[in-house]
Amino acid sequence: MKILSIETSCDETAVSVIQASGNPENPKIKILGNALFSQAKLHEKFGGVYPNLAKREHAKNLPSLLERALSEAKLISQTKSPLNQTKKEEIEKELIREGDLSSNLIDLLNKVKKPKIDLIAVTQGPGLEPALWVGISMAKALASAWNVPIIPINHMEGHILSVLFNPRKESKLAFPALALLVSGGHTELILIKKPLSYKLLGKTRDDAVGEAYDKVARMMNLPYPGGPIIASLAENSRKSNQKNPWSFPRPMLHTKDFDFSFSGLKTSVLYAIKDQKLSKKQKELLSQEFEDAVTEVLIHKTEKALEKNPVHSLILGGGVIANNHIRNSFEKLVQKFPEVKLLLPTKELSTDNSVMIGVAGYVRTKSTKKPPKKKGVFSAQGNLHLSS
Ligand code: KG4
Ligand code: ZN
């Protein structure tokens, strides 16, 4: 089946079309069209994501990203029959709160034929509610204009199921599975005994790992998002093999639960820097020590969770999983557990994207008996949790 998917939970605006078939635990997935715009540069001056700016940018860019994704998928053709008045009013009702999006989307719908898609999947939450609403409103408007079923998707389930698309590796999910999700807003260990059934084992009590990367980058006057920059500074430092003068704590390393805490680590970095102006070399060494501290905690807690919960798959997901050092450290960890297969998303699909939302749409549709509805009655949920 062909799925159109939309992601607008944070500062990435993304629309894609995938073709999916086969068993939901090991589907065959082909990306037919994928259009993504990262707003990171625009949010840089705020040192993080500014919700109203994110919303405005999503509304401005969605119609052209939709057009690009459909055209890459060769699903766009011009029509001579514009929307009739009733459809136009229905769509305007869905888009009433979305400003710019309304007229741009109606212009597009007036000029293109209904594409051959079977399902629309859209991120419902968690995320920034005003930002989520833009994607949801567009998804509902399209479902209504084209009479296509629509399915709301949990963004975190998208990160988990992003591992199902990995063209270079076999990526079959075997249950029970353990998932470690590390992104800008989440740090969670989740036990998945059977498909789509999630039990939270532990989570961060304060900052998420990605958030800590972003804040530490800001302390060193490095731009947002901090993850990729700190990662590359740390990599330089590892190559130079120099003795590291910095030393940071490994918070909650030996607690018996599966919770995390990263705000103390962040504060230690702040106190260590004080008002010093750091040289490039100092930034490299600090980045390495910070990344080593984070990695050690993630590895240790996951190892304990694997010892306590025998599983067949270890799934890693979320923006921080784009990090080479963290990926390599987990490759080493699973060598201690021969019965566990490590499933990683590609680096492109580790950070926010709409392909993973389409994949989750497919898995949900195939795994549950209730078919998705033609008209979605659901709202954005900024604090949406994964449930069984
Ligand atoms: O999953 P994601 O794209 O968005 C959320 O759902 O939050 O994750 C974004 C986070 C940011 O905090 C960013 O700094 C971090 O992922 N990140 C990284 C790397 N690439 C992105 N952290 C460490 N190393 C990276 N290479
Ligand atoms: Zn995310």
Side-chain angles (χ1 to χ4, degrees), residues 7 9-12 126 155-156 159 182-186 208-215 224-232 290-291 317-326 347 349-353 356:
E7 155 66 40
S9 67
C10 193
D11 60 342
E12 256 87 38
H155 178 86
M156 301 318 287
H159 276 304
V182 265
S183 67
H186 289 75
V209 176
E211 191 181 353
Y213 266 93
D214 296 338
K215 288 178 175 166
Y224 169 86
I229 302 160
I230 290 192
S232 98
F290 166 75
E291 191 162 280
V320 178
I321 297 304
N323 184 291
N324 281 332
H325 178 68
I326 294 178
K347 283 195 204 159
L349 293 198
S350 300
T351 45
D352 286 352
N353 65 88
M356 68 184 194

Side-chain angles (χ1 to χ4, degrees), residues 94-128:
E94 295 295 0
L95 299 174
I96 198 137
R97 71 187 109 199
E98 309 306 349
D100 272 0
L101 178 60
S102 183
S103 55
N104 293 342
L105 191 64
I106 289 174
D107 283 352
L108 180 66
L109 291 173
N110 271 326
K111 81 179 187 208
V112 302
K113 268 194 203 143
K114 172 189 168 174
K116 288 200 173 69
I117 51 165
D118 307 290
L119 178 70
I120 297 173
V122 61
T123 306
Q124 181 182 23
L128 306 167

Side-chain angles (χ1 to χ4, degrees), residues 179-338:
L180 173 70
L181 297 179
V182 265
S183 67
H186 289 75
T187 300
E188 295 179 339
L189 269 166
I190 296 161
L191 184 63
I192 314 171
K193 286 204 172 141
K194 56 182 197 281
L196 310 182
S197 159
Y198 305 104
K199 183 177 171 218
L200 184 68
L201 296 182
K203 66 178 169 75
T204 181
R205 296 187 180 174
D206 38 60
D207 291 359
V209 176
E211 191 181 353
Y213 266 93
D214 296 338
K215 288 178 175 166
V216 167
R218 209 172 168 192
M219 292 172 200
M220 292 193 278
N221 289 320
L222 299 168
Y224 169 86
I229 302 160
I230 290 192
S232 98
L233 290 170
E235 210 167 301
N236 288 347
S237 170
R238 270 180 212 107
K239 275 187 214 139
S240 76
N241 219 356
Q242 201 175 316
K243 189 171 165 4
N244 204 324
W246 306 98
S247 164
F248 301 131
R250 274 63 175 153
M252 295 185 72
L253 192 65
H254 295 297
T255 57
K256 291 216 156 42
D257 53 30
F258 298 113
D259 280 352
F260 302 88
S261 164
F262 293 99
S263 95
L265 170 59
K266 173 194 72 186
T267 312
S268 306
V269 176
L270 184 69
Y271 287 155
I273 299 177
K274 290 199 195 89
D275 294 323
Q276 292 178 71
K277 196 164 170 353
L278 302 181
S279 68
K280 172 120 193 288
K281 188 81 237 162
Q282 283 175 308
K283 287 183 186 175
E284 287 178 356
L285 289 160
L286 188 150
S287 297
Q288 182 189 352
E289 171 59 10
F290 166 75
E291 191 162 280
D292 284 350
V294 166
T295 310
E296 208 176 309
V297 175
L298 293 178
I299 291 283
H300 188 78
K301 289 272 168 170
T302 308
E303 181 169 3
K304 293 286 155 218
L306 287 173
E307 281 166 2
K308 193 154 175 220
N309 303 278
V311 296
H312 295 305
S313 324
L314 173 62
I315 297 168
L316 304 183
V320 178
I321 297 304
N323 184 291
N324 281 332
H325 178 68
I326 294 178
R327 291 170 87 94
N328 295 340
S329 306
F330 276 96
E331 298 273 6
K332 273 191 213 121
L333 172 68
V334 289
Q335 287 170 12
K336 294 191 197 165
F337 298 86

